[in-house]
Amino acid sequence: MGKLKPYEYLTAPRSGSTTLASRGEILGTQDIGGVPEDVTAARWKKFRAGQA
């Protein structure tokens, strides 16, 4: 039986002096390559709207 390898991702885009970090964990056997871009974009949108 194979072991699951957790993948951890940290994306920290910056705009000017503001950095917004997004962390993701995947418990699976496939590396998805990082925090999905649509998740990061949605977080920036909320932040800019003053809801973060």
Side-chain angles (χ1 to χ4, degrees):
M1 188 173 201
K3 293 182 179 181
L4 292 180
K5 179 181 177 183
Y7 289 93
E8 294 185 40
Y9 306 101
L10 177 64
T11 301
R14 186 171 80 171
S15 177
S17 63
T18 302
T19 302
L20 186 64
S22 298
R23 183 173 173 260
E25 294 180 356
I26 304 298
L27 295 176
T29 57
Q30 183 178 3
D31 181 359
I32 66 165
V35 176
E37 195 172 319
D38 57 336
V39 172
T40 303
R43 292 201 64 216
W44 271 112
K45 185 176 178 180
K46 280 181 134 181
F47 177 79
R48 288 186 179 129
Q51 299 174 6

